Amino acid sequence: MKNRFDLIIFDWDGTLIDSIDWIVNCLQAAAKQCNCAIPEPQAARDVIGLSIANACSQLFPGVDQQTLTRLTACYQQTYSSKQLSREDLFPGVYEMLVELKQAGYQLAVATGKTRAGLQQALQATATEDLFCITRCSDETASKPDPLMLHQIMQHTNAANNRSLMVGDSSHDLQMAMNAQISSIAVSCGAHPEDILQQYNPLMCLQHPAALLNIIRG
């Protein structure tokens, strides 16, 4: 895999940072606050990676727009109540990102988070300077639409065949397929390996930091 890619695009939640259980908790808390049926954990996991508006629409079908707006607001309020730090990154992730950047790779983030949410997380983990561009669902199309990947590749002047998407959900890998770029899956987040393999990733890693040895060759 050495020298195969110029641009490595990472999902955020469940790929770089260990946040899936917290997101599930926040979605369930929002449902309770809004008197909606509380989703099962896997149902909540299945929508992680989508924009929060799309996630709530899918998770709570049939509710009116006013309730969807409340669900979104309750989710965001609960999620932001937790103080993040670099310790919330998966083990070895920070060191991996530093080494990849020093080796000359362009690094990016493509996430279902809002811009405000991602900025808060980047600052809390002191990782903002490691990425040349980040794209969020409230400033472009939600996954699995490939628009955010196209925008990242355009910004970095990276060709499709020199770009790699790394993600933990079916939405990440479907987006990569839609953008016609390669992907690597990590099974520590929203979806297990058997689901992720359906989207033809180059490989499926148990932990994101394992990517470093793959890229080193």
Side-chain angles (χ1 to χ4, degrees):
M1 200 83 63
K2 190 175 182 180
N3 301 322
R4 179 171 173 179
F5 300 105
D6 303 315
L7 169 65
I8 306 176
I9 307 163
F10 295 93
D11 170 58
W12 183 260
D13 288 300
T15 299
L16 296 179
I17 193 164
D18 188 3
S19 55
I20 297 299
D21 289 345
W22 177 238
I23 293 174
V24 169
N25 175 77
C26 293
L27 288 168
Q28 292 176 326
K32 187 174 181 179
Q33 287 176 270
C34 296
N35 297 313
C36 295
I38 297 175
E40 293 295 323
Q42 189 55 56
R45 284 171 170 259
D46 287 343
V47 301
I48 294 174
L50 301 175
S51 68
I52 185 58
N54 286 7
C56 286
S57 294
Q58 197 170 120
L59 203 53
F60 307 101
V63 304
D64 58 52
Q65 186 57 51
Q66 185 177 4
T67 304
L68 281 175
T69 300
R70 280 190 64 217
L71 283 162
T72 300
C74 289
Y75 166 82
Q76 291 174 328
Q77 183 177 23
T78 305
Y79 186 90
S80 63
S81 69
K82 180 179 180 181
Q83 183 60 48
L84 295 175
S85 73
R86 191 180 290 173
E87 296 302 310
D88 290 295
L89 297 173
F90 283 110
V93 158
Y94 182 78
E95 294 77 12
M96 173 189 71
L97 294 172
V98 169
E99 183 168 332
L100 289 173
K101 183 176 182 180
Q102 289 175 344
Y105 290 95
Q106 296 191 89
L107 306 180
V109 171
T111 178
K113 300 180 81 61
T114 62
R115 170 53 60 187
L118 181 63
Q119 284 305 123
Q120 182 184 40
L122 290 171
Q123 290 165 10
T125 56
T127 53
E128 186 171 9
D129 291 344
L130 297 174
F131 303 106
C132 58
I133 181 175
T134 59
R135 298 299 287 164
C136 302
S137 62
D138 60 343
E139 57 196 14
T140 183
S142 176
K143 300 172 185 179
D145 190 298
L147 180 59
M148 65 172 73
L149 295 185
H150 291 317
Q151 291 171 336
I152 289 170
M153 289 187 286
Q154 183 177 23
H155 176 84
T156 56
N157 292 314
N160 288 49
N161 66 343
R162 301 287 299 174
S163 302
L164 174 69
M165 176 71 205
V166 182
D168 68 294
S169 77
S170 61
H171 313 297
D172 300 323
L173 304 191
Q174 182 64 62
M175 178 174 65
M177 290 180 72
N178 292 344
Q180 298 183 310
I181 70 172
S182 298
S183 68
I184 286 179
V186 292
S187 60
C188 54
H191 287 135
E193 182 173 354
D194 62 326
I195 298 295
L196 298 171
Q197 289 288 9
Q198 296 174 24
Y199 297 86
N200 301 317
L202 296 176
M203 60 189 68
C204 187
L205 307 175
Q206 289 187 325
H207 304 288
L211 176 67
L212 188 56
N213 286 332
I214 301 298
I215 295 296
R216 282 173 179 159

